[in-house]
Every structure is written in structure tokens, then in C-alpha cells.
Amino acid sequence: MTAFEDKKVFVKTYGCQMNVYDSNRMMDSLATKGYSPTETMEDADLVILNTCHIREKAAEKVYSELGRIRQVKEKRARDGKGDMKIGIAGCVAQAEGQEIIRRAPVVDLVVGPQAYHKLPDLLDKAGHGERVVETDFPLEDKFAVLPDARKDVTRKRGVSAFLTVQEGCDKFCSFCVVPYTRGAEVSRPVSQILHEAEKLAAAGVRELSLLGQNVNAYHGESLDGGDWGLGELLFRLAEIDGIDRLRYTTSHPRDMDDSLMAAHRDLDILMPYLHLPVQAGSDRVLKAMNRQHTYDDYVRLIDRIRTARPDIALSGDFIVGFPGETDEDFEDTMRIVREVTYASAFSFKYSPRPGTPAADSEEQVEEAVKSERLYRLQELLNQQQKDFNASKVGTEMTVLLERKGREPGQLVGKSPWLQAVQVDADEELIGEIVTVKVDTLGSNSLFGTMINRP
């Protein structure tokens, strides 16, 4: 018997899909030390907050959450349920480091996103009363030492899975903390990715979403010792038995190369949905952001993508109120949205991130102006999303059924364009791809009738 056996871990995940993937890999690693997941914090011997540093006041939200967790820890001790260890992981951990221990002594462990493979050993140290901070960028490849998930665990997570293929970013957009919290661009070897993808497929996963902070900058060592881009990787993943759908996110306009265009043109398995952030429409603002592309560059790229895959739906990211943004600059953003048209999008008011160049600008835009611009932009984006969804009513589409819906006898799945689709179907069809005729449009999903099943 070890001290780790029969322990429970509660992981709360903030932010992006990569954090969801990282949280799963943390739990896989902790499983080797006898930890099993719990959805109830009060039952946990170990609580981990896997944090994101992209949103405004991210660190303060973590400290606020720690105050609530401290109360749970104290009540657990009063009830005789034993000690609760508390860990902070992810990008806030990387950015704050030792400061977390200083401000929140209740925390036992701080671990950055490149070091979570060390969790079992770090917990050993924390178990002896040491407060551990591990935010270095290790020399070893964490993916090479992380254990595979058990097949039953993978099945329980669902028929769609995330798979990180690339981490970090070398673009250094002036508003972004990613190069500082995730580090330089690193791509996993093709053999490592194929091994993980084949394990996922064997466990019943049918859809893979490839992840990276700048995923289309992927350049990994190929099976013959050469170098593959994301396009070549997608063609090889498409050959894996059991994998029927491929996606990837998040991309940068500078890294859409010919092989990736060919993948969109030639691979039916690559879903017709692309998240390709532009951030702003003004060339002056784009230069200040260090985006390395112009309005015209982006629009011409979209034309090429739509020529390769005419049915593709686009998603994007937008920042309003970037330092120095004028009314004319903002109108350029509205213009590019109208010209491109988006099926979905994420839009935010600019907020300074400490340590980034834009945070030191003396041209900060007034909050009221940012709010008014965001309101106008979101009205336009929301209308485009409604129009896109409405265009699918009366059409037939394939849907991957993923889980039970809210109503008895109802299942929820995903369309090729990442829309939620609800149908009446037996639970035994979870994991199947069926043909659905879309009947009506809801506020957040499509409703349809299954007309063909396997």
C-alpha cells in the first residue's frame, strides 16, 4: 500500500481546449499513484485548479477561488476527513509562480504547463510539508513520459477527443501572454502523435481535434526523420481506422501553407470549419498588434480557403479598443466582418496583460468607448451566426452523436460545422454518425429528425 492509494482528485479547468487536454493528462499521470477523479470538491484529497491567463483579472479570480477552497479544506479537516492538498497548474501558475505561495499559503503546489508530468514526484515533496513551485521549462519532453490513459477512462471521456500536437508561440503579438506562459513553439514528433491517436481510436474515439497555441505552425519530425507540416500530419491521421472526423485549432493566418490548403480540399474527413483569428481590420492596429498580416492578406487568404473548400465555415477572434484604436480603425474591423462573414466568433474588449508591450501603451481607449464598440461588433457577429445556422434548416447533414440530451430519448451531437444538433434517438447510438434533417433552429442548437442510421 502506498500513501497515494484510494485518493480522490478534483480538477477544475479554466480556459482553452488545451487546458482540458492538459487536465486529462494530469489525471492520467496521477492515476499511476492511485488517484481517481471526483466531481465533488468536498470529497477530494487533492484539488487542482488548471488556470488560464488570457482573460482579464485571471490571477485575481484564482485567488478568489482559493478563498472558497480554503473553507472547504478547513471543513474537511473539522469533519475528520483528512488533509486536502491544493495545487495551482496552468498559465496563471507559470505567470505568478512563487507569488501564489506568498499570497495564498493554503496552496501546496504550483506547477506550470510544461512541468505537469512531474506531478506525482512534486506531490511526494508536498506530502512532506514542502511548498513546491515548479515553473521551469524542463529539458525533457513531457509527452514522452506521460502515461497512456486507460481504455475505459478514454471511453468515459467521450467519442470526441483533444490531442495536443504543438505548444507555444513565436509570434509575440503585443497583447498576448502565451509566449511567456507556454514558451517557444514546439511540435511533437509524428510517431508520438500517431501512437496517441491510435490509442484513442482503439478506445472508441471517432473525432480528433488537434490542438496548439499556433497549431498550423506545426513542424514535427516525420517517420523517416524529415519534417512534416500540419497538412501532411492530417493526411496521415486520416488513415487511422476508427477516426472519422478531424479538426484543428487555433491557427494563425501566416501559417496556412499549400499542404494545409490541400488537406481542406482533398480530405472529406477534415471538417469544413476553421477558426482563423484576424483580431482587427485596421492595418495600423494590426501592425501595432504585431500580427504580421494586413486586411488584404487576410481577405485573399479567405478567398483561397473557400476556393479549396467551398462549404467551409469560418470562426474568428476580435479585440476592440486596442490601444490607439480610432473610430476609423474600428470601422475597418466592422468592414472585414461584413466582407468575410463568420459562422461564429469570439470578441472581447482589450484589457492589458502585465509584461506585454501593449500594456505599457499610453494610448489606452476609454472603457465606455470599448463597451460601445464591442456591443456593435457583437450585434453584427451574432446576426451572422444566426443567419448561418438558419441556412441549415431544411438541409440534411451528418451528425456525430455524443451524449444524452436534457429530454428523455434525446441525444446531442455535432454537425460538421461544430453546431450542437439535438435529435430523438436511442442511447445505444451514442458514438455513431447519423444523417439528420434539420427541422428547426433553437437559441443555441439545431433540432432535427434522424433519417438514416448505421
Side-chain angles (χ1 to χ4, degrees):
M1 295 282 288
T2 73
F4 286 94
E5 286 185 355
D6 301 319
K7 297 286 183 103
K8 299 290 185 183
V9 56
F10 174 88
V11 180
K12 183 171 182 177
T13 306
Y14 300 78
C16 66
Q17 298 99 322
M18 191 175 287
N19 269 12
V20 175
Y21 174 87
D22 287 347
S23 291
N24 285 338
R25 298 309 303 268
M26 285 186 224
M27 287 190 282
D28 296 338
S29 181
L30 291 169
T32 64
K33 294 295 186 180
Y35 278 89
S36 60
T38 177
E39 296 182 3
T40 306
M41 185 187 296
E42 289 76 8
D43 294 337
D45 302 283
L46 170 64
V47 172
I48 296 176
L49 302 183
N50 190 15
T51 61
C52 174
H53 207 266
I54 296 297
R55 301 292 178 257
E56 186 175 8
K57 298 180 181 176
E60 294 307 316
K61 291 174 182 176
V62 171
Y63 290 121
S64 176
E65 182 73 7
L66 284 171
R68 291 188 286 271
I69 295 173
R70 180 178 57 79
Q71 294 175 357
V72 174
K73 176 184 173 81
E74 290 172 351
K75 184 177 186 303
R76 180 180 165 88
R78 288 196 303 270
D79 294 344
K81 293 184 177 180
D83 186 35
M84 172 192 281
K85 296 295 182 187
I86 299 172
I88 305 297
C91 291
V92 171
Q94 187 68 38
E96 294 282 300
Q98 193 71 41
E99 178 69 4
I100 294 175
I101 298 293
R102 188 189 70 79
R103 287 187 57 178
V106 71
V107 172
D108 301 283
L109 171 67
V110 177
V111 58
Q114 303 304 332
Y116 66 73
H117 59 294
K118 297 182 177 182
L119 261 176
D121 293 336
L122 298 176
L123 278 170
D124 274 337
K125 294 181 181 179
H128 291 91
E130 183 179 345
R131 301 209 183 280
V132 181
V133 177
E134 180 60 79
T135 54
D136 291 336
F137 289 87
L139 294 176
E140 73 269 22
D141 176 5
K142 67 183 177 187
F143 296 107
V145 298
L146 284 166
D148 294 331
R150 297 200 318 265
K151 184 179 285 190
D152 63 314
V153 172
T154 299
R155 284 200 184 107
K156 195 174 293 185
R157 289 172 181 165
V159 297
S160 296
F162 297 125
L163 199 170
T164 292
V165 301
Q166 180 272 344
E167 286 191 290
C169 186
D170 294 343
K171 294 294 189 290
F172 286 93
C173 297
S174 63
F175 55 81
C176 186
V177 297
V178 166
Y180 311 102
T181 58
R182 287 279 182 171
E185 289 178 359
V186 177
S187 296
R188 298 176 65 185
V190 171
S191 59
Q192 201 180 81
I193 295 167
L194 292 178
H195 171 82
E196 188 171 341
E198 287 163 355
K199 289 283 187 180
L200 291 167
V205 168
R206 300 197 67 181
E207 178 180 272
L208 284 181
S209 294
L210 308 185
L211 302 180
Q213 269 81 36
N214 192 16
V215 69
N216 59 340
Y218 175 85
H219 280 284
E221 182 183 355
S222 65
L223 300 177
D224 61 3
D227 181 81
W228 277 7
L230 185 62
E232 289 92 345
L233 178 64
L234 286 164
F235 275 102
R236 178 62 183 84
L237 288 169
E239 298 174 4
I240 296 176
D241 288 341
I243 299 300
D244 296 289
R245 288 182 165 193
L246 291 171
R247 303 181 187 272
Y248 64 90
T249 195
T250 289
S251 303
H252 193 286
R254 294 278 294 178
D255 294 309
M256 293 293 299
D257 63 15
D258 290 342
S259 69
L260 193 47
M261 292 286 188
H264 280 286
R265 183 192 64 215
D266 299 336
L267 288 178
D268 290 337
I269 194 175
L270 180 57
M271 293 295 95
Y273 180 90
L274 175 62
H275 185 67
L276 191 64
V278 64
Q279 303 297 0
S282 161
D283 285 349
R284 194 180 68 82
V285 172
L286 289 169
K287 184 176 181 180
M289 288 179 166
N290 194 34
R291 287 292 292 169
Q292 303 173 42
H293 63 80
T294 66
Y295 183 115
D296 287 341
D297 292 336
Y298 185 84
V299 171
R300 286 198 301 269
L301 177 60
I302 297 302
D303 288 342
R304 288 186 61 207
I305 293 166
R306 283 180 164 151
T307 298
R309 188 70 186 262
D311 64 339
I312 202 161
L314 292 169
S315 172
D317 290 343
F318 297 89
I319 296 172
V320 302
F322 187 80
E325 182 187 69
T326 65
D327 289 342
E328 291 77 13
D329 292 327
F330 174 69
E331 290 304 326
D332 284 340
T333 295
M334 296 291 281
R335 181 165 63 95
I336 203 169
V337 171
R338 293 189 186 100
E339 185 168 354
V340 172
T341 67
Y342 291 88
S344 64
F346 302 94
S347 52
F348 312 95
K349 293 185 288 187
Y350 171 77
S351 59
R353 296 294 179 267
T356 60
D360 297 327
S361 172
E362 297 179 357
E363 297 183 276
Q364 302 297 328
V365 176
E366 291 182 9
E367 193 66 25
V369 174
K370 289 193 285 189
S371 295
E372 188 272 336
R373 289 175 184 169
L374 183 64
Y375 176 80
R376 288 182 56 204
L377 176 62
Q378 289 184 338
E379 271 199 321
L380 177 58
L381 290 169
N382 289 340
Q383 187 59 54
Q384 289 187 350
Q385 182 173 11
K386 288 177 184 176
D387 291 345
F388 178 77
N389 289 340
S391 73
K392 300 303 178 186
V393 175
T395 67
E396 296 178 6
M397 62 176 63
T398 58
V399 175
L400 172 60
L401 299 175
E402 296 184 329
R403 56 184 171 83
K404 292 190 287 186
R406 292 183 178 180
E407 304 297 329
Q410 186 183 72
L411 297 184
V412 181
K414 278 205 298 281
S415 79
W417 301 277
L418 211 60
Q419 300 143 309
V421 183
Q422 305 194 40
V423 297
D424 291 333
D426 297 332
E427 187 177 338
E428 66 185 26
L429 288 179
I430 290 177
E432 298 293 344
I433 296 175
V434 300
T435 302
V436 172
K437 181 179 179 182
V438 179
D439 301 317
T440 58
L441 175 63
S443 56
N444 297 305
S445 58
L446 308 177
F447 291 82
T449 303
M450 186 171 61
I451 60 175
N452 186 38
R453 56 171 288 176

